[in-house]
């Protein structure tokens, strides 16, 4: 049994880590922290986690492995002692996702707390970085939007089947905005409404750009990313558009070529699957699955790729657990086998 | 008082026509038809319309003006006698939207019922065709998606500010699928889920292409259109992407140039408004408003334009009433003044 | 034209007053107040009200009639100067609903600001107090739950057809909780969940008891009232249970007797209607209607009465406008004619 | 490993059985049937179950134990061969729930297919019939509403703390209506609306009456049961009202006495829990838990008891799996350990 700590269990991502880890046969949650609720029992804050019978602490040093669901900046600061002691950490914040501290600083508007550690961090997307995750000291789990966006287009970019002019139009359930209150997330405001936001640039954009740029020599994708709020609790659907590469544009079988590349990319993946019809987010509810569909707009010679994930599972806590399994040498699906909750 | 008939009142668009016309001070509904419910009182099928105290008939020849909410093919066939008698008709189906009978046939998979009448039809979008609507014999109201998509990008296309490589990513509430049953629209299936559909081509695409192509000499926009279902009853949000035209690409004030063009286009419009922040569909609920926001992705030199409408009002029945007002020489907002239902 | 002021326009009830009054042909809104948003244009806070082109003020003395959507205590205090000047006021808070200052103090936990005015206040439910409303200086609009509950059972209580042992099980959309933030009303928490609350007593209970007790000499109904939150924006459904009175218990035609009493009570009412099947809240969306259905559980000899209202219209602002119409001698339905927004 | 069959996997209850059993370590699903989808792979109908890699058959005789999610009448008929072979069956329909074939016939309007088997059937509610379930040949799983209603009031009835005059006001998510299409369950109709139905008697009533009547000698509860549809996918909340028994009515500590009785009844239960605040259905999402809260309306001397369940788990498939565990001598929570999906 591995002893794990969850830092900041009181948000949705932290609670989801606790839910998933509570089912995990090889793991024991030894500590959970959360400033605002420190001193309470976990079950007082989250009735569905009452069985865990844990007290929420202000901070902890325990754990053979630590998950952080802290916000950026706080995450890096709080994880430093773990990293220094050689305890592997899995961070759900943005603090260790961007390779370049200057990019981080531009988007997050403060200096990075520990830029010297960026070299030791691995972007925690197993489909792209599985080998590096096995030995990483710091695993920086992707944001929810980047998970869907990157998995939707990576096989095409890597295989050079599209040019880099990518548009990501993403639709997210409201839990993606977290447990903090705000008029935008007030039920009567968010319900029965769809809207776009962050048109001047969302912080998840540099992650998407960074990861796509690393896929193929000489291609630097120019990504436009527009997130939307839709009135549901969980789920992200990323609809992605990119012009076919020159070689593919004239070919009648472009869609088949694309599908073959995706099939190759994902056939061995335990959670990311190519599907024959456009996926519904409902089919990922509560699971670590990412369902990807790819096709070609026949008249416009443009790839359209769609990915569906549960933003709190594959888009956050579940991907963290998947990374943990890889890091600890456990079967990758351990603790993540449950089928989606349907309907 | 003008006597109007509503053909096929029993779907959502027909019922919405009845709702709006029941408030209209210059109009009297003299007949409503609907095959499946013929013989019933309107209030039996739609309790909210009980005050209209009308019987649903199988068919009618009455009315100084006829609205049709019949499906395509049936619409043209049923409207023919009205047209021959010189009664102006406002058709919410696709039958008279496309100028070219061959395009119609390709998308709707049957020969057009009355191709000889296409020349007498006007595409019922006042923002583009107000003058022609004043005297039209047949007003072909746009589809719900085209309404949002065209209004989102038309000013930019007409002013030559973008090239024609347009992507329309549209999100629709479930009422857009109509009142007919289907597993996809079953509550437990549609709720808490988002999905894309019609990736191989949606019938609203040729309308969008036709109308955009007519805006500017020498520009033939190549539109990719992907519709999505989101779990809400009403509302469409169309998020549209197009590369800036060459002349604008390098300019720092591209967003201002775009906004000025939109301001010019819409400042005199009674229902279509340029707004400073991305609109939420909720702000159009129950109204004939179209709220448009336009900006530039600064790094990618791409226009992003967003339009929100109520799919059953500006996207269907309300635009029909607006066209009727224009056709009859009434004030354009007559009967459409109500503010949105918020929250 | 009557000049009206809306005190505290920035909550949902205040905004709904503005929406309804903006359509009212005999009224001009001359002032709107709201502390938190003072200085802003109304359209900045509520885009759907932008056409009103009003500035939100801190306070006002203007108006031939004043509506208050202030919270209790603040309402009485702010309305006092109007009352002293002889300006009729319509208060949506609880301050003037209860006849007995001691009952008020027990439930609202502070002394009444102006107990001497209670005698001049009329409970603003036209179905019960239309005549008194015509000349009232203070009209105290009922709470949303009491509106549904009282209209569901009043005809039976008044006619002595049930004994007073009434249970009100009410289900409300989340907008009933107002525009103030709270975890309970956070989208991800409220969505896809139903719960009961206030089992130890909700402040709307004494209103219900007071009004039912006044209906029939010698009957003092003992009401159990349990409110519930359901995941929708608007609407209240009150399902009410009461044993049949002794004389009716043994009669096979008890349901017909009840329906006849309700028919008599409501046949002349412009907004409250007896319906033949259990009503859905959707059929009242955006309207001032109250739909009531009454029947008998045949085996248990118990009346079951169900009422549906839009909590923000008949349950708040709409009923206020209805009272205003009565007070000003206008047709009672003026400005409230719109049909429900369906679907 | 036990081989189990699922008859009629294609509805929501059947699919939920497959979801739960697919996680169960001691069970192997060897056959699934479903007339309309016979010949398809299970994953074609239910993408979330694709991993099961099963073909849907028209019928089956396989299995050491059979679950039926067939509708009533079809269930009894299809299960007969299993019963005759001595294979234990767990039936989710109503066919074996009612002890009295005449009551069945009155409510289901056809003669019972196998009245001679009723004596061998046990009502599959472990909280009431655990011992009998251990050896039962036929386990008749309760309906979703009865599960919540009975668990809400049984401890009070059994302990004689209330008289039998019980009102059950139940609120159900739309999945309770099944996967069959109907206008009432069409998204645009069901969404944003609450309504009561079956006021003239719902088929789940006789189950509730039967089980409550069996709890205490000499008490024959007279139950009024009114179900409601609320716009969410899963969950039932049953709010139940009953007058305190004479002995308790005058006691100040009535609520404590009630809570003690519930604590005794449920303290050893693995899934049914007494909770200190009114439960939200969200806290049961996807789980076999039943959360019960009990209190007293202090002024009216009436018990108010609330129970929350997931209608497809504890209200159907999960309770079936719990019964299977008991019947097979497995730990009762096996395969049902997952925490609720929150938020």
């Amino acid at each position: 049994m591995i002893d794990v700590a969850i830092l900041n269990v009181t948000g949705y991502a932290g609670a989801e880590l606790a839910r998933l880890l509570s089912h995990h046969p090889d793991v024991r949650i030894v500590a959970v922290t959360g400033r605002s609720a420190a001193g309470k029992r976990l079950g007082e804050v989250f009735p569905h986690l009452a069985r865990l019978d844990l007290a929420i602490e202000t901070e902890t040093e325990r754990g053979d492995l630590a998950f952080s669901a802290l916000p950026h900046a706080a995450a890096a600061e709080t994880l430093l002692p773990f990293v220094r002691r050689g305890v592997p950490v899995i961070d759900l914040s943005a603090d260790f996702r961007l390779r370049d501290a200057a990019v981080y600083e531009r988007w997050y508007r403060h200096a990075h707390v520990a830029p010297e550690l960026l070299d030791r961090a691995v972007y925690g997307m197993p489909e792209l970085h599985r080998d590096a995750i096995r030995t990483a000291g710091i695993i920086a789990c992707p944001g929810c939007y980047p998970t869907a966006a990157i998995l939707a287009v990576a096989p095409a970019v890597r295989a050079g089947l599209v040019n880099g002019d990518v548009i990501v139009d993403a639709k997210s359930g409201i839990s993606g905005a977290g447990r903090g209150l705000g008029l935008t997330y007030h039920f009567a405001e968010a319900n029965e409404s769809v809207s776009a936001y962050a048109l001047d640039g969302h912080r998840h954009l540099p992650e998407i750009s960074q990861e796509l740029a690393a896929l193929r020599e000489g291609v630097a994708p120019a990504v436009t990313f527009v997130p939307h709020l839709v009135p549901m609790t969980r789920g992200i659907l990323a609809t992605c558009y990119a012009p076919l590469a020159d070689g593919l544009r004239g070919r009648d079988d472009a869609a088949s070529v694309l599908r073959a590349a995706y099939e190759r990319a994902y056939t061995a993946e335990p959670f990311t699957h190519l599907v024959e019809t456009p996926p519904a987010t409902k089919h990922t509810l509560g699971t670590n699955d990412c369902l990807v569909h790819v096709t070609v707009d026949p008249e416009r010679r443009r790839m359209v790729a769609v990915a569906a994930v549960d933003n709190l599972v594959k888009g956050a806590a579940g991907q963290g657990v998947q990374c943990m399994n890889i890091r600890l040498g456990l079967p990758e699906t351990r603790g993540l086998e449950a089928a989606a909750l349907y309907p």
Side-chain angles (χ1 to χ4, degrees), chain A:
Chain A
M1 292 293 275
I2 313 288
D3 288 352
V4 303
I6 302 173
L7 309 179
N8 197 31
V9 76
T10 54
Y12 288 144
E16 191 69 349
L17 280 169
R19 178 181 79 89
L20 293 169
L21 294 171
S22 74
H23 304 163
H24 198 294
D26 301 305
V27 152
R28 182 172 49 193
I29 304 175
V30 293
V32 295
T33 74
R35 217 176 30 186
S36 65
K40 292 194 183 167
R41 308 300 301 175
L42 186 56
E44 287 178 77
V45 180
F46 298 121
H48 70 298
L49 299 176
R51 276 171 234 187
L52 282 175
D53 197 27
L54 286 162
I56 301 175
E57 304 172 54
T58 309
E59 50 185 26
T60 190
E61 296 195 351
R62 303 169 68 193
D64 303 327
L65 182 146
F67 283 95
S68 168
L70 286 158
H72 63 88
E77 208 173 305
T78 311
L79 287 171
L80 272 184
F82 290 88
V83 175
R84 285 182 184 138
R85 286 202 312 276
V87 173
V89 299
I90 299 179
D91 181 16
L92 269 52
S93 89
D95 276 351
F96 297 102
R97 291 179 194 156
L98 300 171
R99 319 293 328 135
D100 182 339
V103 174
Y104 177 89
E105 195 165 336
R106 181 151 69 86
W107 284 90
Y108 291 89
R109 299 186 187 284
H110 63 86
H112 198 284
V113 171
E116 71 283 4
L117 293 182
L118 289 178
D119 277 354
R120 295 162 61 180
V122 173
Y123 193 72
M125 182 175 276
E127 291 80 356
L128 300 188
H129 302 289
R130 185 170 279 109
D131 280 341
I133 292 167
R134 289 189 215 285
T135 56
I138 302 172
I139 297 168
C141 276
C144 51
Y145 285 122
T147 296
I150 296 167
L151 291 173
V153 301
V157 171
R158 187 162 41 197
L161 300 174
V162 294
N163 77 35
D165 199 25
V166 175
I167 290 171
V168 177
D169 185 294
K171 299 90 180 161
S172 175
I174 314 288
S175 68
R179 202 159 175 254
L181 304 182
L183 190 62
T184 306
Y185 320 120
H186 197 51
F187 184 91
E189 304 280 329
N191 189 39
E192 293 292 294
S193 195
V194 174
S195 57
Y197 68 102
L199 268 70
D200 49 357
H202 186 283
R203 284 169 169 175
H204 282 172
L205 173 59
E207 286 178 49
I208 301 172
S209 299
Q210 165 184 292
E211 293 300 311
L212 294 185
L215 287 169
R216 186 177 180 88
E217 195 75 25
V219 176
V223 180
T224 292
F225 165 51
V226 178
H228 297 74
L229 286 181
V230 298
M232 61 186 193
T233 303
R234 288 180 179 229
I236 284 179
L237 193 84
T239 312
C240 305
Y241 307 86
L244 295 181
D246 289 345
L248 203 58
R249 197 162 305 140
R251 291 178 57 175
D252 284 347
D253 63 347
S256 304
V257 173
L258 276 166
R259 274 193 283 267
Y262 277 68
E263 194 59 47
R264 276 194 306 277
Y266 294 141
T267 194
E269 284 299 328
F271 296 111
T272 299
H273 305 294
L274 184 63
V275 292
E276 288 172 34
T277 51
T281 58
K282 183 181 282 286
H283 295 140
T284 67
L285 183 61
T287 77
N288 201 46
D289 290 339
C290 176
L291 305 179
V292 180
H293 177 74
V294 66
T295 189
V296 169
D297 177 342
E299 298 196 41
R300 312 309 171 202
R301 314 314 298 159
R302 207 176 263 141
M303 177 185 81
V304 182
V306 185
V309 298
D310 182 320
N311 58 305
L312 294 178
V313 191
K314 183 65 174 174
Q319 190 152 245
V321 173
Q322 184 183 359
C323 288
M324 178 195 76
N325 287 338
I326 295 170
R327 179 63 181 75
L328 299 177
L330 298 169
E332 196 164 326
T333 59
R334 187 65 58 82
L336 297 167
E337 300 92 346
L341 196 67
Y342 161 90

